Amino acid sequence: PVSNKSEVFLLRTVHLHWNPEVSELLRAGNKVQCSSFILAVGHNAASFLSVYILASANWDAVGRGVAWNERSRSGTGPSGEGSACVFYRHKDEPAVLICHVTCHIAEDQLFQWTEKVFGYLQTRGLTVTVLSDSSVADYKTADYLCSSSAPFLRSLRSSAFSDQPVCQSLEQPNIITGLPAAVLNHCQVHSIAAVVYQCYSDVTGPDSITMDKYKPVLTKLGRSIQVDSSRSTDVLRNFVRSSEIQSNLYI
Amino acid sequence: MFISSQDSPATFQGFTLVMPAVAVGNVGQLAVDLIVSTLNMRRVGYFHTDCLIPMAGNNPYASGKADAEELHTPAEGGTTSQLQVLKSKFRQQLKSWIKASGFSRTVVLSSSHAYQRDDQQLQGTSLRYLMTPSLLAASADALKELGWREMERIPAFPGVDAEPRLCIPGGGITKGLYTDGCAEDLPLAVLLLFCSEGDNIPDAFALVNHLNDWLHLEEPKSKWKIPTSWSLLFGSGIPPALF
């Protein structure tokens, strides 16, 4: 049991743990060289990257993030068990970094997470790509969307991002929130090229059709890393976890 | 906390700062939206701080396709020549920044719960003002001409504690900013409306018109331009299958 506010504050601190090689580099006062940082927020985004990019086995897990909060599952306590935020680096192209975030990062932790991660990266010439899952219920439009239009992709980019996004821009009055917004804000304020691809889906859990929607992004990512676009949707289905017993209320 | 963007003026010395407090009905924020939108103000910087919950979207003040795709963040400062408009929600960092920037005056746009008015407040206009002593000295004549009502001091707990106090229920950091302004001799004014949650667009128009009577930002009869971010304030279109 926690006795006071400062204890809670300490528990909620975001911690980043790096492998020995990276830790040594950072201890020497250097930053991690990075030309491309790809962040996946949400299970569908993370699974998509796993299938099309990480499956090539040319990646090392180099770091882990821990952000304990009220939504952390037991087994992923503040001591940092669980793998809900993992950093991968390409073996042959060490300047390419991927991060999966499948845990909830609370509002009070978003700024901290972003400042800490970017504090470790060398940001000159850096391009940031964020894939983010979202619910179509959060998408505002004058014409009511019939369910067949979901899932769909929308983009938002920082002023420094000069390339063309692979889908249309997120229309007003829609906004993005959470980790993708925190990262995009940081990049905007610090003139880093960044683009967020938000996938709006009517399915709340992992879903192969939703994952598939991110495919056009491969054309952009494929410039800096090897992607395996021959993977079929069936492979994606293998990544869809079966429903947990405690969430069978709406079966 | 405040990070200038490219077109920022070298200094804000002599500028007037107009800022909203996050308060009931978000009236101050809506009013500032109207000012930024109508005066075509350009962004001069960002408030990059852990006090604000992150969010981002395309240009909420876009006038056409050309400027529609410009990223905006939770709190930014915009400017026309001598007016600085700010959207944000926190006090301490703000106070330091206001002092350091040397604004000639700061105007806080805010609101207060209409249902918590006492008997005397129920009558007449729902507009109230507050001014710190240093600004009062400079604006006494203008105030007289405008005929505004000062926010009354009322007992916080009638029947229990009869001591009249300044209370701004639903006003967020408004009262704090005002008392800080008095304590630190900042030229600061508060302009607020009594209102309730709901469609607060008419309240925003009322507040911005009152502000205009004092600061003369726009011609009295001209129209305020509604920003594109105000569309779908109450959600998406209705599914036809509902009927």
Side-chain angles (χ1 to χ4, degrees):
Chain A
V2 165
S3 56
N4 58 45
K5 251 182 170 175
S6 51
E7 276 190 51
V8 176
F9 180 75
L10 283 171
L11 283 171
R12 294 177 76 89
T13 306
V14 174
H15 296 287
L16 296 172
H17 305 285
W18 301 101
N19 71 3
E21 188 208 327
V22 175
S23 300
E24 188 57 49
L25 177 89
L26 296 171
R27 249 198 304 270
N30 298 313
K31 299 212 175 192
V32 176
Q33 288 299 307
C34 193
S35 60
S36 179
F37 179 48
I38 306 158
L39 173 65
V41 183
H43 286 285
N44 289 312
S47 301
F48 171 81
L49 285 186
S50 293
V51 169
Y52 285 102
I53 298 175
L54 292 173
S56 70
N58 284 330
W59 300 83
D60 290 322
V62 295
R64 195 165 50 85
V66 177
W68 182 83
N69 56 59
E70 62 281 359
R71 288 210 220 165
S72 300
R73 295 232 205 88
S74 57
T76 55
S79 52
E81 310 312 314
S83 54
C85 173
V86 188
F87 292 84
Y88 300 93
R89 194 166 65 175
H90 199 277
K91 286 176 183 159
D92 305 321
E93 306 272 350
V96 181
L97 209 64
I98 285 186
C99 178
H100 276 187
V101 176
T102 50
C103 59
H104 173 72
I105 301 195
E107 284 173 348
D108 58 308
Q109 296 171 318
L110 292 170
F111 188 87
Q112 212 196 125
W113 189 100
T114 309
E115 292 293 298
K116 281 192 168 163
V117 169
F118 280 86
Y120 288 125
L121 303 180
Q122 188 285 115
T123 55
R124 208 169 335 122
L126 172 65
T127 301
V128 177
T129 308
V130 182
L131 306 185
S132 161
D133 295 345
S134 186
S135 168
V136 75
D138 293 330
Y139 183 78
K140 282 190 190 175
T141 173
D143 310 312
Y144 175 71
L145 288 174
C146 59
S147 53
S148 58
S149 61
F152 55 86
L153 216 57
R154 288 291 186 270
S155 66
L156 260 185
R157 55 183 162 157
S158 68
S159 303
F161 187 83
S162 50
D163 197 0
Q164 193 62 16
V166 302
C167 66
Q168 82 186 73
S169 194
L170 184 62
E171 308 91 329
Q172 273 289 320
N174 291 290
I175 56 170
I176 62 168
T177 57
L179 192 57
V183 169
L184 197 57
N185 281 354
H186 181 97
C187 293
Q188 175 67 14
V189 167
H190 292 100
S191 303
I192 299 170
V195 62
V196 171
Y197 291 108
Q198 182 111 314
C199 186
Y200 289 94
S201 173
D202 52 357
V203 175
T204 51
D207 168 56
S208 55
I209 298 174
T210 302
M211 288 178 210
D212 223 21
K213 265 297 158 182
Y214 288 112
K215 248 181 148 170
V217 183
L218 288 178
T219 52
K220 299 290 180 181
L221 297 179
R223 289 185 200 153
S224 46
I225 44 177
Q226 183 193 15
V227 303
D228 191 354
S229 34
S230 61
R231 298 291 179 126
S232 69
T233 314
D234 292 333
V235 178
L236 286 175
R237 288 208 192 98
N238 293 336
F239 277 79
V240 175
R241 284 195 329 269
S242 49
S243 307
E244 294 163 28
I245 289 296
Q246 57 265 39
S247 64
N248 62 355
L249 188 63
Y250 295 105
I251 288 176
Chain B
M1 160 173 101
F2 180 79
I3 299 178
S4 300
S5 55
Q6 281 159 339
D7 303 325
S8 185
T11 169
F12 294 127
Q13 202 84 26
F15 277 65
T16 297
L17 173 68
V18 176
M19 57 163 287
V22 177
V24 56
N26 303 108
V27 177
Q29 294 158 282
L30 294 173
V32 163
D33 265 351
L34 285 172
I35 298 171
V36 173
S37 177
T38 308
L39 300 184
N40 237 336
M41 302 182 87
R42 60 184 167 82
R43 178 172 57 203
V44 295
Y46 312 89
F47 284 84
H48 193 58
T49 163
D50 61 349
C51 296
L52 300 178
I53 295 170
M55 49 141 263
N58 274 322
N59 191 353
Y61 311 110
S63 49
K65 240 184 152 208
D67 60 351
E69 285 186 31
E70 184 190 82
L71 190 71
H72 283 249
T73 63
E76 303 174 336
T79 186
T80 57
S81 52
Q82 285 277 312
L83 180 67
Q84 242 261 334
V85 176
L86 163 67
K87 294 165 155 268
S88 86
K89 14 170 170 169
F90 49 93
R91 240 170 83 195
Q92 282 302 99
Q93 294 184 0
L94 257 185
K95 192 184 61 181
S96 312
W97 178 72
I98 291 173
K99 272 177 101 167
S101 302
F103 291 106
S104 64
R105 59 192 167 180
T106 300
V107 182
V108 180
L109 300 181
S110 184
S111 50
S112 183
H113 284 305
Y115 68 79
Q116 291 213 263
R117 288 174 291 176
D118 73 353
D119 293 347
Q120 57 167 321
Q121 290 173 318
L122 280 172
Q123 295 166 23
T125 175
S126 53
L127 178 78
R128 293 293 184 276
Y129 81 91
L130 282 168
M131 267 194 204
T132 57
S134 50
L135 190 55
L136 209 56
S139 312
D141 291 336
L143 276 178
K144 211 170 162 193
E145 215 185 294
L146 291 163
W148 285 351
R149 264 168 93 167
E150 193 180 10
M151 186 68 168
E152 302 89 341
R153 266 68 170 165
I154 54 175
F157 305 102
V160 175
D161 173 12
E163 170 91 31
R165 294 177 206 283
L166 178 63
C167 302
I168 310 180
I173 61 172
T174 307
K175 182 179 158 187
L177 280 174
Y178 172 71
T179 47
D180 284 350
C182 290
E184 311 224 8
D185 205 28
L186 293 173
L188 185 141
V190 172
L191 209 58
L192 65 86
L193 274 186
F194 290 116
C195 69
S196 305
E197 288 281 355
D199 182 355
N200 299 105
I201 292 175
D203 299 309
F205 274 93
L207 191 57
V208 87
N209 281 325
H210 283 303
L211 180 70
N212 199 36
D213 289 340
W214 177 31
L215 294 185
H216 306 298
L217 304 169
E218 267 284 295
E219 295 304 307
K221 295 290 181 202
S222 66
K223 290 188 115 176
W224 297 100
K225 187 175 152 208
I226 290 181
T228 49
S229 56
W230 282 20
S231 62
L232 305 175
L233 271 179
F234 301 102
S236 292
I238 299 168
L242 198 62
F243 307 107

